[in-house]
Amino acid sequence: SIKMDLLHSNGVLIIQHLQRDYRAYQDFLNFMSHVGDPRNIFSIYFPLWFQLNQVVGTKMIWVAVIGDWFNLIFKWILFGHRPYWWVQETMVYPNQSSPCLEQFPITCETGPGSPSGHAMGSSCVWYVMVTAALSYTVRWKDKSAVTLHRLTWSFLWSIFWIIQISVCISRVFIATHFPHQVVLGVFAGILVAEAFEHTPAIQTASLRMYIKTNLFLFLFALGFYLSLKLIDIDLLWSVPKAKKWCANPDWINIDTTPFAGLVRNLGALFGLGLGINSEMFITSCKGKNSCKISFRILCIAASLATLQLYNFVKIPTHTEYLFYVLSFCKSAAMPLTVVALVPYCVHLLMRTTEKKLN
């Protein structure tokens, strides 16, 4: 406990330093925090990569979902505090007022803080993207190509670490994580992504396999939560702390609670399984049009545009269980749209156009 208090107090000093000396970069750091948001995986990165390479896109969803699930379990085990409430309750500063940490609209997350979900999700998905891009260049054999591969390798991994460091600094800057929590998140994310580099079975998984995986992840998390609740350990202990110490009650969002993230991810995985095993996917993405660049570009543009419309769908939050059900449905609809609905519509459009030309 003493060592953890020392780690936290040193983390508070770093946060104060960032908030004082990096004020000019506030907009950039807030932007990088949004870049690391795991929800961007489903609305931006996945639709781009799935149409370019279905293997990479499928892996991306699996890595994001399993990574976030492990993140939830780790959060429940580690009981990590967040800076914005820890400074208000700790006894480290008994004879003086608590340090003043500025809060922002994205500060008041309600789940435990360790490891950082943003850092873990960001390192997961960017690791998949970088390794996928490098897999194209590693096959080059002649000397000039080998040199180009090495330069590409250095460039892409430099970009990877620049983004991860920026996301980590942004999460510390807004006082939602301590430094050790974001570092732990980055390396945990890399481990999960690396594990899926050696798990080819996900590419041929049936809908039944997707459903079984969903049920296992949900029942394990629920069972873990209920088991500890039976011995008077409340895994939602962080929610009242967030509500108590958040500077603005409007910044508290049910979407940041532990079970909201779990439901969102399970919905995305189910939607992917439903889409990949649908007739619409087989007809469009496995047909002759799937090899055409025009088909892929149209699918990417239509998918990105359609998914932005989902942002306008506001789920009611007055009833918690209804929120979870609707959140699951909305999350399932997103990959289903990318994998099946949009490609099938583009396929029909191109076929109609070809018939008219003929």
Side-chain angles (χ1 to χ4, degrees):
S1 178
I2 295 175
K3 289 182 179 179
M4 190 56 67
D5 283 342
L6 181 62
L7 194 62
H8 286 160
S9 59
N10 288 334
V12 168
L13 293 176
I14 293 173
I15 296 170
Q16 288 181 305
H17 168 70
L18 289 173
Q19 291 188 343
R20 182 181 65 250
D21 297 340
Y22 288 79
R23 174 64 56 196
Y25 303 101
Q26 177 180 329
D27 291 340
F28 171 75
L29 293 173
N30 285 334
F31 170 75
M32 290 307 301
S33 187
H34 285 295
V35 168
D37 193 331
R39 284 169 288 198
N40 288 332
I41 298 170
F42 308 119
S43 61
I44 298 175
Y45 303 135
F46 171 66
L48 280 171
W49 272 95
F50 187 82
Q51 306 303 344
L52 295 174
N53 188 314
Q54 292 169 10
V55 172
V56 177
T58 302
K59 185 193 300 181
M60 189 176 291
I61 292 290
W62 277 89
V63 165
V65 171
I66 301 300
D68 210 54
W69 184 83
F70 273 115
N71 183 263
L72 173 64
I73 301 301
F74 288 152
K75 283 179 185 292
W76 280 347
I77 293 173
L78 298 176
F79 282 80
H81 290 274
R82 293 186 185 271
Y84 74 92
W85 75 58
W86 181 83
V87 295
Q88 304 292 341
E89 298 187 344
T90 182
M91 300 302 294
V92 171
Y93 314 101
N95 299 320
Q96 54 185 315
S97 59
S98 300
C100 181
L101 298 182
E102 185 176 353
Q103 296 183 26
F104 304 86
I106 55 176
T107 294
C108 301
E109 297 206 9
T110 57
S114 186
S116 166
H118 279 63
M120 191 167 175
S122 176
S123 62
C124 268
V125 69
W126 280 94
Y127 189 92
V128 170
M129 289 193 290
V130 169
T131 53
L134 289 175
S135 66
Y136 289 103
T137 63
V138 75
R139 304 166 192 162
W140 299 342
K141 299 300 182 182
D142 58 90
K143 284 189 175 181
S144 60
V146 169
T147 302
L148 182 58
H149 168 71
R150 289 173 180 172
L151 290 173
T152 305
W153 187 96
S154 301
F155 174 74
L156 290 179
W157 284 117
S158 297
I159 293 295
F160 172 86
W161 284 110
I162 288 171
I163 290 173
Q164 303 321 310
I165 292 170
S166 298
V167 169
C168 289
I169 291 175
S170 72
R171 301 301 289 171
V172 174
F173 173 84
I174 63 174
T176 200
H177 284 295
F178 290 103
H180 70 278
Q181 295 173 343
V182 293
V183 172
L184 180 60
V186 168
F187 287 102
I190 291 174
L191 287 176
V192 171
E194 178 59 28
F196 275 88
E197 291 293 317
H198 311 285
T199 314
I202 60 173
Q203 302 298 334
T204 56
S206 63
L207 180 58
R208 179 177 292 184
M209 182 62 184
Y210 277 91
I211 293 173
K212 285 182 178 179
T213 303
N214 257 18
L215 286 174
F216 171 78
L217 296 177
F218 176 74
L219 292 176
F220 185 97
L222 183 63
F224 188 71
Y225 169 77
L226 293 176
S227 298
L228 290 184
K229 195 169 185 178
L230 287 175
I231 56 175
D232 292 328
I233 298 178
D234 184 12
L235 293 180
L236 300 181
W237 60 272
S238 60
V239 177
K241 288 183 182 292
K243 292 179 177 179
K244 180 179 180 180
W245 297 114
C246 184
N248 186 338
D250 293 335
W251 295 347
I252 296 289
N253 192 338
I254 190 175
D255 201 31
T256 66
T257 58
F259 278 111
L262 176 65
V263 169
R264 183 173 59 247
N265 286 306
L266 294 183
L269 188 62
F270 176 72
L272 176 67
L274 199 61
I276 284 182
N277 291 280
S278 68
E279 285 297 325
M280 287 189 291
F281 170 76
I282 295 171
T283 301
S284 55
C285 294
K286 295 296 184 181
K288 61 178 184 179
N289 282 332
S290 63
C291 298
K292 296 178 180 179
I293 298 297
S294 57
F295 174 79
R296 297 186 180 189
I297 292 175
L298 283 172
C299 286
I300 290 173
S303 296
L304 290 173
T306 305
L307 292 185
Q308 299 316 305
L309 298 177
Y310 282 95
N311 294 329
F312 296 101
V313 179
K314 300 300 180 184
I315 300 176
T317 59
H318 57 275
T319 304
E320 192 170 358
Y321 293 111
L322 177 62
F323 172 83
Y324 290 146
V325 171
L326 294 178
S327 180
F328 179 89
C329 295
K330 179 181 176 181
S331 298
M334 294 176 74
L336 182 61
T337 298
V338 174
V339 171
L341 296 178
V342 166
Y344 187 70
C345 290
V346 172
H347 166 75
L348 292 179
L349 178 64
M350 293 183 69
R351 190 174 67 177
T352 303
T353 305
E354 287 174 358
K355 284 182 178 179
K356 287 181 178 179
L357 292 175
N358 293 331

